[in-house]
Amino acid sequence: MSDRSGATRVVVVGADAAGMSAAHQALRTATRTGRELAITVLDKGAHTSYSACGIPYWMAGDVDSGDELVARTAEAHRESGIDLRLGAEVVGADLGARTVTLADGEEVAWDELVVATGAPAVVPDWALRPDGTAYDGVGTVKTIDDGAAWLERFADAGDGAHVVVVGAGYVGVEVAEAAMRRGFGVTVLTRGRGMSMLEDEMAERVDVALCEAGAEVVLGVEVTGLDIEDGRVTGVRWEGGSREADLVVLAIGVRPATDFLAGSGLETADNGALRPDPHGRVADHVWAAGDCCEVRRRIDGAWVFRPLGTYATKHGRALGDTLAGGSLSFDGMVDTSITRFAFDEVHLEVARTGLSRADAEAAGHEPVVLVTEGTTASGYMPEAEPIAIWVMADRGTRRLLGVQVVGGPGAGKRIDAAAAVLWAGGSVDDLAWMDLAYAPPFATAWDVLQVAARRVAERL
Amino acid sequence: MSDRSGATRVVVVGADAAGMSAAHQALRTATRTGRELAITVLDKGAHTSYSACGIPYWMAGDVDSGDELVARTAEAHRESGIDLRLGAEVVGADLGARTVTLADGEEVAWDELVVATGAPAVVPDWALRPDGTAYDGVGTVKTIDDGAAWLERFADAGDGAHVVVVGAGYVGVEVAEAAMRRGFGVTVLTRGRGMSMLEDEMAERVDVALCEAGAEVVLGVEVTGLDIEDGRVTGVRWEGGSREADLVVLAIGVRPATDFLAGSGLETADNGALRPDPHGRVADHVWAAGDCCEVRRRIDGAWVFRPLGTYATKHGRALGDTLAGGSLSFDGMVDTSITRFAFDEVHLEVARTGLSRADAEAAGHEPVVLVTEGTTASGYMPEAEPIAIWVMADRGTRRLLGVQVVGGPGAGKRIDAAAAVLWAGGSVDDLAWMDLAYAPPFATAWDVLQVAARRVAERL
């Protein structure tokens, strides 16, 4: 089960964060363990190791070129000894014969298969022509090609152009910022209430900020179709309403790219996601990491779909290490995420970690919840900005269950201290009394995060 | 053992963070426990509950008036039912008779005594006239009166005036910033290498930043005296050198104000500090908290003198709660602190938590240490600023022992996540692999803190 040189043939499908983290870590670990690995990476696209999370900021003008989003070029990967084959789309896998099949019919044999195919953006039928291509002026925000297309569309659009963003999750809010900073009018449309990763009382602060900055926000509408003239979008329609639009951004989510595994015998979740163990293993000689997978939430043990670069690189690294004889593991996450909305006078940082109230109730907790308002720095300092902190703990055990933050500059990364408490399985008292850094430009004497935790602790 | 009304007579000496936190929490808890407390607070000064940490920012011009530094006025304390007596200096205590003696000879009886006298700034003999007052142009940075005096001196000083700051700890650096922002030339003089709370390789980054911003930094000199003309400072002298000066700031530390306890039978550390238990108890019916105390460092169990407002308010709160029949406790700290130096183009945030290398060796650890350089945001973002992170772990147990951070905006409060790991007694692997928030404006996909921890983990 090896190539002619005796090396184990590792085939990685997908050349982005998870796949390339796995490949490089495997090579690094192999120098220590003495394993001989022949690593081939297959990717249907033309780019490797790029930051999809950076694309909204490229669209906004913060980043000069798509090249800057590429962490490591194809040449650099090849110089490290990885056989990287771009434009190689895998369309099938045979776990018995240990091969994958490419779109052109070529079969590639492997001893170990790593699935790191990611999760492309969801494109609803109403956005597509009969030939399957999107109408002019309509696109997603996921790949380098997507970003380049948006830069072209932005450049071609007139000064008074209006951008409708469908979806108000992280990407939707980030793209709204980008379009506003480019000088366009912006409408954000969403099926639910927007920012579904936040509790109502926190999400509404984001809606308010979007409006204050000059965006239209339309909540609770399901888009049913587009108005099209000469193959180009001119408006967005929903049941009982419509909005003129020159450009339409689809930011309604992503879906694991695991169709090529259909019939392979590998089990997937309903959404198509794989569920690898902490070392990335999904079956004998088959591994997976990144956005094509669900991740395990430590707090309640739930499998959840969180396609985030930080999980992809961590799980990929553990996978690569294990593959080469190491023992690194990705021991799950606590559901931390962050973004910001910044335009003109508005600068709002948004972050969350842990369970939602619904998650907590589903897990059998008796959640006690409180929102506390304060400032990011001592009140008398010019740096002091409003911040609201949502804290949830379990009444019986006093265990910290979740924290959410919405506030001005300096608010967002405060979530990390709460995430650390959740990681350790700590209590709301730990969060309230532990030793966070205080000086007037950075915090109040009791950091607002600790005031928020203390207030919940007092109610248990 | 109570006043005529049957209430327990609590006498608090010192009306600042620790004392007033204790007094208010005692009243709050008493409403729940039904304890009857008659609380008297004695303070020799004219101000209560002010933020000493804010004084450098008042000097810099960030804060308009000393009143803004006062968290709660005397009237507000009295309205809460506290008998607050300002201008009441306690000069002696009799633990047997349960009295304290005021400077005017009055004896005040108590059932419970709370010592919260703080720690005044150290003034060396060379700064004093024979009558014990400081020379004109020379002062400390500790009280509201100090701050007011500095604002007057700054206003009186000519445009080309030069300020010499003696001491390069947190206060020294903060005052250097203040004086530079006021337009003065600044020299920082220090006995050792400056920023003694940091390791060499981190402290030198602060020295460099001070120089880059235009300050003179003179390390390794012990000031021996001042040049005085007509009672006014004109220069600072040390063995073999001198520096002209129009104003001299003394920022060489503080000392617990416990002289009035001499002969009372209470034990103090060599520096005069008390060592209360987590509830603030130092002896039967005698309590203490705040800057007149040492605090317990959880990591190694050492008693250390860290006169910080955040410990004062936390310990004071636990003390007040316990005094009124509650059970809150201040379970030590992990030695976290933070400051910044910002002037002109330079903006440096400085933070530390945990043990120093010397502390770790003294505690029997085998420390492994590494400094990692990275950026505060994804490299392609305009928010990305250089950051250096020092991480120390124990070779045998992999336990995280300490973290220090020096970097641009967004660097400082990263220390909180490390402090949370130390609080929980976690490992360097916890820090490396836990779930910190990632999005391009806030971090790299592996937060630089986690890269730094991972690199140490790989070397254990």
Side-chain angles (χ1 to χ4, degrees):
Chain A
M1 287 314 178
S2 57
D3 72 0
R4 274 173 294 176
S5 72
T8 300
R9 293 166 304 181
V10 177
V11 168
V12 179
V13 187
D16 215 324
M20 298 320 290
S21 289
H24 284 282
Q25 184 60 42
L27 290 177
R28 272 191 300 269
T29 300
T31 62
R32 174 168 56 81
T33 58
R35 296 276 175 101
E36 284 188 55
L37 303 177
I39 301 184
T40 300
V41 179
L42 307 171
D43 196 288
K44 67 176 179 177
H47 304 281
T48 65
S49 303
Y50 65 90
S51 168
C53 326
I55 291 172
Y57 304 99
W58 182 23
M59 292 168 67
D62 279 338
V63 180
D64 289 333
S65 129
D67 292 345
E68 290 186 40
L69 300 182
V70 175
R72 204 167 344 195
T73 62
E75 294 70 51
H77 290 304
R78 290 183 183 123
E79 278 165 20
S80 303
I82 292 169
D83 176 20
L84 173 62
R85 296 176 58 185
L86 296 176
E89 182 178 8
V90 173
V91 295
D94 186 329
L95 306 191
R98 294 201 184 157
T99 57
V100 289
T101 307
L102 303 188
D104 65 5
E106 181 187 349
E107 296 210 332
V108 180
W110 46 265
D111 302 310
E112 305 288 342
L113 175 66
V114 178
V115 181
T117 41
V122 172
V123 181
D125 288 341
W126 48 254
L128 298 174
R129 294 186 179 91
D131 71 358
T133 60
Y135 291 107
D136 291 347
V138 180
T140 55
V141 181
K142 177 72 194 179
T143 65
I144 290 272
D145 291 339
D146 287 343
W150 278 112
L151 284 192
E152 273 185 39
R153 290 186 196 110
F154 281 2
D156 293 346
D159 260 3
H162 197 87
V163 178
V164 172
V165 180
V166 183
Y170 288 144
V171 174
V173 167
E174 290 161 7
V175 170
E177 172 186 321
M180 294 176 83
R181 288 169 60 197
R182 287 287 188 177
F184 301 117
V186 169
T187 299
V188 178
L189 292 181
T190 177
R191 196 158 59 169
R193 58 158 168 75
M195 297 305 281
S196 62
M197 61 295 290
L198 298 182
E199 298 295 303
D200 290 356
E201 55 267 51
M202 302 303 279
E204 69 191 12
R205 293 166 194 265
V206 183
D207 297 339
V208 167
L210 282 161
C211 293
E212 276 178 3
E216 275 181 11
V217 180
V218 185
L219 306 177
V221 295
E222 178 106 40
V223 174
T224 52
L226 301 176
D227 291 327
I228 303 293
E229 279 178 29
D230 299 333
R232 175 164 198 86
V233 70
T234 61
V236 179
R237 315 207 138 264
W238 59 90
E239 185 77 32
S242 66
R243 178 61 172 94
E244 290 176 14
D246 300 294
L247 298 171
V248 174
V249 182
L250 303 172
I252 55 175
V254 299
R255 206 181 157 279
T258 53
D259 288 351
F260 78 100
L261 294 171
S264 71
L266 272 189
E267 225 175 299
T268 60
D270 289 346
N271 61 359
L274 296 164
R275 291 178 168 175
D277 79 6
H279 298 285
R281 217 179 264 107
V282 288
D284 280 355
H285 307 290
V286 183
W287 312 72
D291 292 1
C292 60
C293 302
E294 289 187 337
V295 284
R296 191 81 131 172
R297 188 164 55 200
R298 289 161 70 103
I299 310 164
D300 59 351
W303 284 102
V304 289
F305 182 54
R306 296 290 184 267
L308 296 175
T310 184
Y311 302 150
T313 55
K314 285 177 179 146
H315 212 164
R317 194 176 186 101
L319 187 169
D321 183 67
T322 307
L323 194 53
S327 61
L328 286 181
S329 62
F330 172 70
D331 297 324
M333 52 69 158
V334 295
D335 223 346
T336 309
S337 53
I338 189 169
T339 191
R340 69 136 197 238
F341 173 76
F343 176 66
D344 207 12
E345 299 290 291
V346 175
H347 180 120
L348 207 65
E349 300 184 356
V350 177
R352 54 103 60 225
T353 188
L355 304 183
S356 68
R357 188 170 191 141
D359 293 333
E361 282 164 356
H365 293 291
E366 190 186 346
V368 175
V369 167
L370 211 63
V371 175
T372 298
E373 297 188 339
T375 54
T376 54
S378 292
Y380 50 78
M381 294 293 291
E383 288 82 3
E385 295 285 343
I387 177 173
I389 301 189
W390 177 95
V391 173
M392 177 173 66
D394 180 62
R395 185 178 298 283
T397 62
R398 306 185 72 83
R399 191 169 164 197
L400 184 67
L401 296 175
V403 176
Q404 301 182 8
V405 170
V406 176
K413 278 292 255 179
R414 270 183 160 77
I415 206 69
D416 284 349
V421 173
L422 289 173
W423 181 265
S427 70
V428 70
D429 308 291
D430 286 315
L431 182 56
W433 289 84
M434 67 187 190
D435 189 5
L436 301 186
Y438 162 61
F442 298 98
T444 39
W446 285 83
D447 189 291
V448 60
L449 190 60
Q450 302 200 282
V451 175
R454 202 182 70 199
R455 292 183 68 230
V456 170
E458 285 165 0
R459 277 157 185 79
L460 295 181
Chain B
M1 289 309 180
S2 56
D3 70 2
R4 275 173 294 180
S5 71
T8 301
R9 294 166 304 182
V10 177
V11 168
V12 180
V13 187
D16 214 325
M20 299 320 290
S21 290
H24 284 282
Q25 184 60 41
L27 289 178
R28 271 192 299 269
T29 300
T31 62
R32 173 167 57 80
T33 58
R35 296 278 174 99
E36 284 188 55
L37 304 177
I39 301 183
T40 301
V41 179
L42 307 171
D43 195 286
K44 68 176 179 176
H47 304 281
T48 65
S49 301
Y50 65 91
S51 169
C53 326
I55 290 171
Y57 303 99
W58 182 23
M59 292 168 67
D62 279 338
V63 181
D64 289 334
S65 129
D67 293 345
E68 290 185 41
L69 299 183
V70 175
R72 207 171 337 199
T73 62
E75 294 70 51
H77 290 305
R78 290 180 183 125
E79 278 165 22
S80 302
I82 293 168
D83 177 20
L84 173 63
R85 297 176 57 186
L86 296 177
E89 183 177 8
V90 174
V91 296
D94 186 329
L95 305 191
R98 293 198 185 160
T99 56
V100 290
T101 308
L102 303 187
D104 66 5
E106 181 186 349
E107 296 211 333
V108 180
W110 45 265
D111 303 308
E112 306 288 343
L113 174 66
V114 178
V115 181
T117 42
V122 172
V123 181
D125 288 340
W126 48 253
L128 298 175
R129 295 187 179 89
D131 70 358
T133 60
Y135 291 109
D136 290 348
V138 180
T140 55
V141 182
K142 176 73 194 179
T143 66
I144 291 272
D145 291 340
D146 287 342
W150 278 111
L151 284 191
E152 274 184 38
R153 290 187 197 110
F154 281 0
D156 293 345
D159 260 1
H162 197 87
V163 178
V164 172
V165 180
V166 184
Y170 288 144
V171 174
V173 167
E174 290 162 7
V175 169
E177 172 186 320
M180 294 176 83
R181 288 170 58 195
R182 287 286 187 178
F184 301 117
V186 168
T187 300
V188 178
L189 293 180
T190 178
R191 194 158 59 170
R193 59 157 166 76
M195 297 305 280
S196 62
M197 61 295 290
L198 298 182
E199 298 295 303
D200 290 356
E201 55 266 50
M202 302 303 280
E204 69 191 14
R205 293 166 194 266
V206 183
D207 297 339
V208 167
L210 283 161
C211 292
E212 276 179 2
E216 276 181 9
V217 179
V218 185
L219 306 177
V221 296
E222 178 106 42
V223 173
T224 52
L226 301 176
D227 292 327
I228 303 293
E229 279 177 28
D230 299 332
R232 175 162 199 87
V233 69
T234 60
V236 179
R237 313 207 140 266
W238 59 90
E239 184 77 30
S242 67
R243 178 62 174 95
E244 292 178 12
D246 300 294
L247 297 170
V248 174
V249 182
L250 303 172
I252 55 175
V254 299
R255 208 183 155 278
T258 53
D259 288 351
F260 79 100
L261 294 171
S264 70
L266 273 190
E267 225 175 298
T268 60
D270 289 345
N271 60 359
L274 297 164
R275 291 180 169 173
D277 79 5
H279 298 285
R281 217 179 264 106
V282 288
D284 281 354
H285 307 289
V286 183
W287 313 72
D291 292 1
C292 61
C293 301
E294 289 187 336
V295 284
R296 191 81 132 173
R297 188 165 55 200
R298 290 161 70 101
I299 310 164
D300 58 352
W303 284 102
V304 289
F305 182 54
R306 296 288 183 269
L308 295 174
T310 185
Y311 302 149
T313 56
K314 284 177 180 148
H315 212 165
R317 194 176 187 101
L319 187 169
D321 183 68
T322 306
L323 195 52
S327 59
L328 286 181
S329 63
F330 172 70
D331 297 323
M333 52 68 156
V334 296
D335 223 346
T336 309
S337 53
I338 189 170
T339 191
R340 68 134 197 240
F341 173 75
F343 177 66
D344 206 11
E345 299 291 290
V346 175
H347 181 119
L348 208 65
E349 300 183 356
V350 177
R352 55 103 60 226
T353 189
L355 305 183
S356 68
R357 189 172 191 140
D359 293 334
E361 281 164 357
H365 293 289
E366 189 186 345
V368 175
V369 166
L370 210 63
V371 175
T372 298
E373 298 189 338
T375 54
T376 55
S378 292
Y380 51 78
M381 294 294 291
E383 289 82 3
E385 295 284 343
I387 178 173
I389 301 189
W390 177 95
V391 172
M392 177 173 65
D394 179 61
R395 185 179 298 283
T397 62
R398 306 185 72 84
R399 191 168 164 198
L400 184 68
L401 296 176
V403 176
Q404 300 182 8
V405 170
V406 176
K413 278 292 253 178
R414 270 184 161 78
I415 206 69
D416 284 350
V421 173
L422 289 172
W423 181 265
S427 70
V428 70
D429 308 291
D430 286 316
L431 182 56
W433 288 85
M434 67 188 191
D435 189 6
L436 301 185
Y438 161 61
F442 298 98
T444 39
W446 285 83
D447 189 293
V448 59
L449 191 58
Q450 303 200 280
V451 174
R454 203 182 68 199
R455 291 183 68 230
V456 171
E458 286 165 359
R459 275 155 186 81
L460 295 180

